Amino acid sequence: MKEAFAIGVDIGGTNTKFGLVNHRGEILARGGFRTDVYAEADSFADTLCTHLQPLIEAYGKNVIVGVGIGAPNGNYYTGSVEYAPNLRWTGIVPLANMMQERLGLPAVLTNDANAAALGEHMYGAAQGMNDFIVITLGTGVGGGVFSNGKLIYGHDGFAGELGHMTVVRNGRKHWATGLRGSLECYASATGIVLTAKELLAGNGESLLRDVRADALSAQSIYEAAIKGDALAAEVYRYTGEILGQALADFVMFTSPEAIILFGGVTKAGSLLLEPVREHMEANLLPIYKNKVKLFISGLGEADAAILGASALVWEDRSLQG
Amino acid sequence: MKEAFAIGVDIGGTNTKFGLVNHRGEILARGGFRTDVYAEADSFADTLCTHLQPLIEAYGKNVIVGVGIGAPNGNYYTGSVEYAPNLRWTGIVPLANMMQERLGLPAVLTNDANAAALGEHMYGAAQGMNDFIVITLGTGVGGGVFSNGKLIYGHDGFAGELGHMTVVRNGRKHWATGLRGSLECYASATGIVLTAKELLAGNGESLLRDVRADALSAQSIYEAAIKGDALAAEVYRYTGEILGQALADFVMFTSPEAIILFGGVTKAGSLLLEPVREHMEANLLPIYKNKVKLFISGLGEADAAILGASALVWEDRSLQG
């Protein structure tokens, strides 16, 4: 029997990355292109095909099990990208069908956080775990929840929107949803910058006062913090406090074995992880305390999204013939 | 083939109820006794056996598939009641094993909210649903969550403690857990009385001023509200607001088809349900709006707990031989 392969595609607001992956999670070929130059989903899909065709021809269509796509607002049940605020395409885009028609290969699609959870389950720290949660901390905050050994999609495919759950009643107003006090308002890269701006509105000294307002980012705040800047350190401590409290809620909901943090914001390492752990534990009932494993994803960030999308192919029983 | 039966046992802090149930959810025989006179789990288990033996002999041991038990802090994985604050027995009580040894019948155990969810799935409004949530609103607040057609127990059997999730950051301190702002602090019968006391600390007129402080209850507040008492009505409106906001969070977590409210507090009917619905919808992302069915359990309260516990037997594949 010949080795089988899956194609993993990660669609981000700025860049699209793809790779050909074997069952062991080795990326044998890869590539990428800009997402944001395509105003229409059709031209995007055409371009993606143009990039994938040489891979498919090189390895042979008959050994490629399918194409897995991780996309913002991707709905597994419908195979569509639905009203993604970070993409230029509007409305409901049946991207899985569009790729299937163009390539003649099965295509499955989910959102980026679910893809990350599938990737952790197949290749990362969650191997062998039936119950765990992945939180993606990037421009936004997403969630992928495994229970009873399966990803929770919910009744209509939109489960796991953990970033939109309320952590501060009547708190910050979300820039896109208008809802108040959601986790994303605080624990996303965007939220971290808002926290810094709030603190900078006070009188405290800070290296961040030398950073131009439009250059203020989770990254620049982190850099100031490791240089010993107290205000910048407080930004991450506060972020960790809010996130830790939210994680305690999530633990009491699904009682996971582990929570894995994923994405750009986790570059802050222990600066974020320590207050998260402290405030998660402080808000748990005794029956949950000191049990839940909490860590930052060990999958290389560049590869994890492709691996996660490819895992969607391997975990989809309908594609396993 | 002879008809098969399950025994359902509902253990409450005050009373224990049991019944012999067929697969159609008909309770063919029933009984009950006081829980709180038994200081030791052993004497409780002996008494429960004394009550169940005549049923078992009357119908025949060979047609009884097993005994399902719903108990506060019941852990399905271990079959134990663990540190139940509302029972006089302390520590970890391996009640399923104790009953199995005494009766010579398989016994399975879960917490009361999970039993309620199993009952709704088998006999109630959630028949045929794969994704739904049951919220029990009694002295405390509990949750039973179905996803992908299965009850979520989580890694260690303690999933679904929705009453202990935070809804008001730095809010009311819980009388037993010490955690601040949990749903149970507001939406339980206990929390409803606290809300009334807070409002009565003001100057507003109210029929409740004629109720002795120790007679103030969710029931007496409800009765005042239906007599047109504005303060009492405000208690339920506020309760509904908090509960509705919490339900919005739950919807974004598991994307259920329905949320079913269960237990004594739901006697308030639309007085509670209308503000819950309003504030749940107001706090949902557009993709979830006007989709989630929300209603009060239609199972008769006296029977539902027994049916739920018996459903545990039917849904436990290990007992289906």
Side-chain angles (χ1 to χ4, degrees):
Chain A
M1 195 182 131
K2 287 178 83 170
E3 187 172 18
F5 303 96
I7 291 172
V9 180
D10 172 59
I11 303 175
T14 309
N15 291 300
T16 292
K17 293 175 287 186
F18 57 85
L20 184 114
V21 185
N22 67 17
H23 208 290
R24 293 186 298 282
E26 294 160 345
I27 301 178
L28 305 173
R30 70 176 77 219
F33 60 94
R34 296 278 294 204
T35 311
D36 55 2
V37 298
Y38 298 95
E40 301 296 331
D42 270 312
S43 54
F44 171 84
D46 289 340
T47 304
L48 180 53
C49 282
T50 308
H51 281 83
L52 297 184
Q53 283 293 5
L55 283 186
I56 294 168
E57 280 163 29
Y59 285 79
K61 199 167 182 171
N62 57 327
V63 293
I64 297 177
V65 179
V67 180
I69 305 167
N73 287 39
N75 186 320
Y76 174 72
Y77 290 157
T78 63
S80 298
V81 176
E82 309 195 4
Y83 308 101
N86 301 323
L87 298 177
R88 293 175 65 189
W89 335 325
T90 52
I92 297 177
V93 176
L95 192 64
N97 277 345
M98 288 162 67
M99 293 309 295
Q100 197 153 329
E101 281 168 15
R102 281 167 171 80
L103 295 172
L105 282 170
V108 276
L109 176 149
T110 193
N111 75 35
D112 34 3
N114 286 340
L118 289 163
E120 294 292 339
H121 191 236
M122 189 132 190
Y123 303 116
Q127 285 177 65
M129 288 188 190
N130 286 323
D131 301 275
F132 68 94
I133 298 174
V134 170
I135 310 284
T136 59
L137 301 166
T139 315
V141 173
V145 183
F146 262 72
S147 278
N148 291 318
K150 291 175 77 173
L151 193 58
I152 295 184
Y153 284 113
H155 182 56
D156 57 6
F158 287 117
E161 286 291 355
L162 309 189
H164 296 291
M165 290 173 70
T166 306
V167 282
V168 181
R169 197 173 142 80
N170 300 320
R172 275 183 201 160
K173 189 169 176 178
H174 191 284
W175 46 92
T177 69
L179 297 179
R180 288 206 172 268
S182 69
L183 179 58
E184 188 163 284
C185 291
Y186 298 87
S188 64
T190 322
I192 288 171
V193 171
L194 290 175
T195 299
K197 285 182 175 168
E198 281 181 16
L199 291 176
L200 287 167
N203 294 321
E205 281 181 31
S206 174
L207 296 170
L208 296 175
R209 296 200 183 279
D210 302 330
V211 178
R212 276 206 342 265
D214 63 353
L216 205 58
S217 67
Q219 176 71 20
S220 61
I221 297 163
Y222 166 66
E223 285 164 7
I226 54 172
K227 283 179 194 155
D229 187 78
L231 187 144
E234 171 59 17
V235 171
Y236 273 97
R237 194 210 58 76
Y238 178 72
T239 305
E241 178 180 336
I242 299 274
L243 180 56
Q245 181 155 21
L247 295 192
D249 282 347
F250 303 163
V251 167
M252 297 193 279
F253 203 119
T254 62
S255 188
E257 178 175 356
I259 295 180
I260 302 167
L261 306 181
F262 183 98
V265 168
T266 66
K267 283 182 195 152
S270 62
L271 210 60
L272 178 72
L273 199 58
E274 289 317 309
V276 168
R277 195 188 309 274
E278 177 191 340
H279 289 276
M280 180 181 86
E281 291 292 344
N283 285 285
L284 286 173
L285 293 182
I287 47 171
Y288 302 104
K289 275 190 201 289
N290 303 311
K291 277 186 182 175
V292 182
K293 297 165 193 155
L294 174 69
F295 41 79
I296 290 170
S297 172
L299 294 177
E301 203 188 356
D303 289 351
I306 292 170
L307 289 178
S310 75
L312 187 59
V313 173
W314 302 121
E315 298 223 357
D316 193 303
R317 268 163 243 148
S318 66
L319 302 185
Q320 298 307 306
Chain B
M1 197 182 129
K2 285 177 85 171
E3 188 171 18
F5 303 96
I7 290 172
V9 180
D10 172 59
I11 303 176
T14 310
N15 292 300
T16 293
K17 292 174 286 186
F18 58 85
L20 184 114
V21 186
N22 67 16
H23 207 291
R24 292 185 299 281
E26 293 160 347
I27 301 178
L28 303 173
R30 71 176 77 219
F33 60 95
R34 295 277 295 203
T35 311
D36 55 3
V37 297
Y38 298 94
E40 301 297 331
D42 270 313
S43 54
F44 171 83
D46 290 340
T47 304
L48 180 53
C49 282
T50 308
H51 281 84
L52 297 184
Q53 284 293 8
L55 282 186
I56 294 168
E57 281 163 30
Y59 285 81
K61 200 167 181 171
N62 58 325
V63 293
I64 297 177
V65 180
V67 180
I69 305 167
N73 286 40
N75 186 319
Y76 174 73
Y77 290 158
T78 62
S80 299
V81 176
E82 309 194 5
Y83 307 101
N86 301 324
L87 297 177
R88 292 175 64 189
W89 335 324
T90 51
I92 296 177
V93 176
L95 192 64
N97 278 345
M98 289 161 67
M99 293 309 295
Q100 197 154 329
E101 281 168 15
R102 281 167 171 78
L103 295 171
L105 281 171
V108 276
L109 177 148
T110 192
N111 75 35
D112 35 3
N114 286 341
L118 289 164
E120 294 293 339
H121 191 236
M122 190 131 187
Y123 303 117
Q127 286 178 64
M129 288 188 190
N130 286 323
D131 302 275
F132 67 96
I133 297 175
V134 170
I135 310 285
T136 60
L137 301 166
T139 314
V141 173
V145 183
F146 262 74
S147 277
N148 290 317
K150 292 176 77 174
L151 193 59
I152 296 184
Y153 286 112
H155 181 55
D156 57 6
F158 287 117
E161 286 291 354
L162 309 189
H164 296 291
M165 291 173 70
T166 306
V167 282
V168 181
R169 198 173 141 80
N170 301 319
R172 276 183 201 161
K173 189 169 175 178
H174 192 282
W175 46 93
T177 70
L179 297 180
R180 288 205 172 270
S182 68
L183 179 58
E184 188 162 284
C185 291
Y186 299 87
S188 64
T190 322
I192 288 171
V193 171
L194 291 175
T195 299
K197 286 181 174 168
E198 281 182 16
L199 291 176
L200 287 167
N203 294 319
E205 282 180 32
S206 173
L207 297 171
L208 296 174
R209 297 201 182 278
D210 303 329
V211 179
R212 278 205 341 265
D214 63 355
L216 206 58
S217 67
Q219 177 72 21
S220 61
I221 297 163
Y222 165 66
E223 284 163 9
I226 54 171
K227 284 179 194 153
D229 187 79
L231 187 144
E234 171 59 17
V235 171
Y236 274 97
R237 194 211 58 76
Y238 179 73
T239 305
E241 177 180 336
I242 299 275
L243 179 56
Q245 181 156 19
L247 296 191
D249 283 348
F250 303 163
V251 167
M252 297 194 278
F253 202 120
T254 61
S255 188
E257 179 175 355
I259 295 180
I260 302 168
L261 306 180
F262 183 97
V265 169
T266 65
K267 282 181 196 151
S270 62
L271 211 59
L272 178 72
L273 199 59
E274 289 315 311
V276 169
R277 194 189 308 275
E278 177 191 338
H279 289 276
M280 179 181 87
E281 292 292 343
N283 284 284
L284 286 173
L285 294 181
I287 48 170
Y288 302 104
K289 274 190 202 288
N290 304 311
K291 276 186 183 176
V292 182
K293 297 164 193 155
L294 173 70
F295 42 79
I296 291 170
S297 171
L299 294 178
E301 203 188 355
D303 290 351
I306 293 170
L307 289 177
S310 75
L312 188 59
V313 173
W314 301 121
E315 298 223 357
D316 193 304
R317 267 162 246 148
S318 65
L319 303 185
Q320 298 309 305

